[in-house]
Amino acid sequence: MRTFGLQTPFDMVVYITLGGMLDRTIMGHYPFLPCLAACAGLVLLHRLFAVLSFHSKFIHKLTTGNPVLLFSEGKEKPEKMQKHEISRKDLMVTIRENGFDNLDGIQSIWLEPDGTLA
């Protein structure tokens, strides 16, 4: 999740695919108008999934993902932290950004689907 920054994995796949399609068009490997139409179709498909994601919990979960609990009740979740490559230093940065000096008094820290810690 951290790799994608503030984008969802679904967004990144669309952006990379769109970039590849436009690259082929710009370099002249494929005809311009059909590639442009395919890019427009991809953008419309992305928009359709955004609307469906707003109205459907299943589609939202499929395209966005779920938050991961990394810290709760005074204890770190080392297996989840390791799986998502989050270090203790990352947790400490998050709590300092939120005005705390240590983990005392922190109820929970979550890794959000967009890669932020909250």
Side-chain angles (χ1 to χ4, degrees):
M1 285 188 239
R2 292 176 48 153
T3 305
F4 299 118
L6 297 177
Q7 306 297 324
T8 65
F10 181 71
D11 291 337
M12 290 303 296
V13 168
V14 170
Y15 297 156
I16 291 169
T17 304
L18 189 60
M21 292 168 68
L22 289 172
D23 173 56
R24 296 291 181 162
T25 302
I26 291 169
M27 298 304 281
H29 294 293
Y30 296 112
F32 182 73
L33 289 178
C35 281
L36 204 56
C39 289
L42 184 62
V43 169
L44 290 174
L45 192 63
H46 183 260
R47 180 69 181 144
L48 173 67
F49 272 102
V51 170
L52 291 174
S53 176
F54 180 76
H55 294 289
S56 167
K57 289 182 182 180
F58 174 74
I59 299 293
H60 181 73
K61 182 179 174 182
L62 187 67
T63 60
T64 305
N66 291 322
V68 177
L69 182 62
L70 300 175
F71 178 89
S72 72
E73 300 174 5
K75 296 181 182 176
E76 295 175 11
K77 310 283 185 188
E79 67 283 349
K80 291 182 181 179
M81 290 174 62
Q82 184 176 6
K83 178 181 179 184
H84 296 284
E85 299 176 349
I86 303 292
S87 69
R88 182 167 172 69
K89 289 180 184 180
D90 295 328
L91 293 182
M92 297 307 292
V93 167
T94 298
I95 66 163
R96 284 193 301 274
E97 287 175 346
N98 287 291
F100 295 93
D101 292 329
N102 55 43
L103 292 170
D104 298 335
I106 303 292
Q107 292 180 349
S108 63
I109 299 175
W110 293 82
L111 176 61
E112 298 296 336
D114 66 1
T116 59
L117 294 172

